[in-house]
Amino acid sequence: MDQNNAPTTSETAATKRGPRSQRLRFGIATAVVAVAAVGGTVTAFAMNNENSNPTATAAAGKAAGSDVKMPLSTHKGDIVDSNGRKVTLTGVNWFGMETGTFSPHGLWTRNWESMLDQMAKQGFNTMRLPYSNEMFDAKSKPNGIDWKKNPDLKGLKGQQIMDKIVKGATDRGIMVILDQHRPDQYGQSELWYSQKLTEDKWLSDWVKLAKRYKGNDRVIGADLHNEPRGQATWGDGNAKTDWRLAATKAGNAIHKVNKNMLIFVEGTDRHGQEQFWWGGDLQGVKKKPVQLKEKNKVVYSPHDYGPGVYNQNWFSAKDFPKNMPAIWKKHWAYIKQENIAPVMLGEFGGKKTAGKSSEAIWQNSLMDYLKKNGISYTYWTWNPDSGDTGGVLANNWKSLDKNKMKMLAKYQTPLLEARGDAAKK
């Protein structure tokens, strides 16, 4: 999902071909500047509300998620812990570090720890954390932060703020997936490299992150590149465009320094002449899966959106939403259903989750499908400033969209056990 109000030059051709020309948000960077100026299965399902504790259903005297033993790996269609128990990721995205703020959004109005406290309280056991490679540049200064509310962030670089967010999340029992969302603050790129970001830099940044967080086993994975599309191919052997080859190269490089990380691989936007969502098509995996030297570490992570983002023809079919399971299965869910590998739906979302609109019907149908098939997810998004989807938080960045939480709470698995100061709260 992009956060710009217009495509970059390299994206223009892709949006003409593909179905996602509506997937572009209002100018968040501008808004932020203005504001800144101012075996067994480890699962438990809990209905949460704004004031509930998602761990309340855990056995007395035992923290929810305390049975999970790191590191994670894969077994057929499941993510499993080191004891072979299934682990299901049911999380949320919190974006901002990939934009010109070089920090998660919302810190202009809230303390970062209170944000994570609320995220944990709502029962999200995983956070997908987008970043841009530009964030690591010394000249990229974090901004859009109320320093009075976040005094401990003042003077920190983007990487150091990431360190704070990662430790804060994992201490609260939230697992973290790092997401290379953009090469720079200005927009996504079709390929894993761009005019400003070389493949070598893309790889070296991943290696540095893998080394940096090796000591925190709750940093469970690397989402290698957000939404490959346009020029991106799958399995054709062209080193310049073959996303499968690039993902293999990056996964192996990461595992040389940190064998514990799961490698999350998104799809492309098409299969043959058939168009689908950016990063959403994984039909090529059937014949040409990603095969790493380190076995049992690949999780496929498609993106899928509803009619509020772009009105695909299947949303107006006479048998909607009964037609959707076949579409999901064809493009990505078959990987889980046929025990090829686990699937985590890395992005899906929309503004409406209640009522009779096609968007609300679609979102609830997808949630039911994920739960029925035991598929992991990270919802887009925690932020309310996602122009075409809105967020779990309301526009005031404090209260919740209760209809969204009601939907998401139908399918949540427990957080890990809190540790350190977070365990005392």
Side-chain angles (χ1 to χ4, degrees):
M1 177 67 85
D2 203 357
Q3 284 95 42
N4 279 354
N5 62 340
T8 61
T9 302
S10 62
E11 290 174 333
T12 304
T15 55
K16 288 179 180 178
R17 287 198 308 272
R20 293 188 50 193
S21 58
Q22 303 297 318
R23 290 289 319 283
L24 305 170
R25 293 196 202 95
F26 64 87
I28 286 176
T30 302
V32 168
V33 171
V35 174
V38 257
T41 303
V42 184
T43 56
F45 302 103
M47 293 299 294
N48 298 330
N49 57 48
E50 190 167 355
N51 299 311
S52 68
N53 184 339
T55 65
T57 55
K62 195 171 189 178
S66 60
D67 288 337
V68 176
K69 303 297 182 185
M70 296 298 183
L72 303 182
S73 58
T74 70
H75 177 69
K76 297 182 177 180
D78 297 315
I79 298 172
V80 297
D81 74 356
S82 60
N83 288 330
R85 293 171 173 166
K86 296 179 186 177
V87 177
T88 304
L89 313 178
T90 54
V92 69
N93 289 266
W94 184 14
F95 72 77
M97 302 199 81
E98 79 281 23
T99 72
T101 65
F102 305 114
S103 63
H105 282 180
L107 302 187
W108 52 78
T109 190
R110 284 189 67 178
N111 171 267
W112 68 273
E113 290 197 89
S114 74
M115 200 85 82
L116 290 176
D117 285 339
Q118 188 179 23
M119 194 181 294
K121 186 176 182 181
Q122 293 313 306
F124 295 109
N125 72 6
T126 307
M127 178 175 66
R128 181 172 175 260
L129 187 63
Y131 70 86
S132 70
N133 298 81
E134 185 184 2
M135 186 197 75
F136 303 124
D137 295 345
K139 63 182 180 181
S140 301
K141 296 183 179 180
N143 60 88
I145 300 173
D146 185 326
W147 303 114
K148 291 183 179 179
K149 290 183 172 67
N150 298 277
D152 56 334
L153 301 185
K154 192 170 184 178
L156 299 186
K157 297 178 181 178
Q159 177 69 82
Q160 294 171 315
I161 291 179
M162 178 184 276
D163 292 343
K164 286 266 192 181
I165 300 299
V166 166
K167 185 177 187 302
T170 55
D171 281 354
R172 287 164 174 79
I174 301 172
M175 293 172 279
V176 172
I177 299 167
L178 303 175
D179 159 42
Q180 192 269 342
H181 208 79
R182 298 177 175 184
D184 54 54
Q185 63 179 292
Y186 301 106
Q188 297 174 206
S189 58
E190 294 181 354
L191 302 172
W192 55 98
Y193 62 91
S194 69
Q195 291 182 341
K196 295 182 179 180
L197 177 70
T198 66
E199 180 180 83
D200 286 346
K201 181 66 163 56
W202 173 69
L203 289 169
S204 66
D205 282 349
W206 267 126
V207 170
K208 288 176 183 177
L209 287 172
K211 286 181 179 178
R212 191 176 192 94
Y213 296 119
K214 185 176 182 180
N216 187 344
D217 58 12
R218 293 180 175 186
V219 181
I220 60 169
D223 190 338
L224 298 177
H225 177 61
N226 186 63
E227 299 183 336
R229 63 190 184 279
Q231 302 172 67
T233 58
W234 186 282
D236 66 354
N238 183 340
K240 293 183 178 180
T241 63
D242 190 338
W243 170 230
R244 173 180 173 266
L245 282 181
T248 302
K249 184 184 295 186
N252 286 334
I254 287 169
H255 285 155
K256 284 184 178 180
V257 299
N258 185 347
K259 293 183 178 181
N260 292 336
M261 293 188 83
L262 295 174
I263 304 302
F264 289 81
V265 182
E266 300 185 27
T268 61
D269 65 334
R270 68 185 187 274
H271 181 72
Q273 298 302 311
E274 182 183 2
Q275 296 287 314
F276 200 59
W277 299 108
W278 292 353
D281 195 293
L282 285 160
Q283 293 181 73
V285 171
K286 184 182 289 286
K287 292 184 178 179
K288 295 183 178 180
V290 174
Q291 296 178 315
L292 303 179
K293 294 177 181 178
E294 192 72 24
K295 305 298 183 184
N296 302 319
K297 288 292 184 178
V298 175
V299 178
Y300 293 99
S301 188
H303 294 182
D304 206 302
Y305 279 93
V309 170
Y310 187 88
N311 197 20
Q312 308 275 19
N313 57 14
W314 48 78
F315 299 131
S316 56
K318 291 182 179 179
D319 59 346
F320 175 82
K322 293 182 179 179
N323 61 327
M324 294 309 305
I327 293 170
W328 295 325
K329 179 178 180 179
K330 177 182 179 180
H331 291 283
W332 47 266
Y334 78 91
I335 297 171
K336 161 72 172 176
Q337 293 170 354
E338 296 179 13
N339 278 322
I340 296 170
V343 170
M344 186 197 78
L345 192 60
E347 288 187 19
F348 72 102
K351 291 184 177 180
K352 297 178 181 179
T353 55
K356 297 182 179 180
S357 70
S358 58
E359 183 175 62
I361 291 170
W362 174 83
Q363 285 209 72
N364 282 277
S365 297
L366 180 52
M367 281 301 299
D368 292 342
Y369 184 81
L370 296 176
K371 180 176 179 179
K372 179 181 179 181
N373 289 275
I375 294 173
S376 295
Y377 70 85
T378 49
Y379 188 73
W380 189 272
T381 177
W382 180 249
N383 308 48
D385 59 341
S386 173
D388 50 8
T389 66
V392 173
L393 291 181
N395 288 334
N396 62 11
W397 283 94
K398 295 179 182 178
S399 57
L400 299 165
D401 183 323
K402 293 183 178 180
N403 287 328
K404 283 191 176 179
M405 275 313 309
K406 183 178 180 180
M407 179 191 74
L408 293 167
K410 291 189 297 184
Y411 179 35
Q412 287 187 303
T413 58
L415 282 77
L416 303 184
E417 189 172 7
R419 60 191 183 190
D421 293 339
K424 301 174 185 177
K425 293 185 177 181

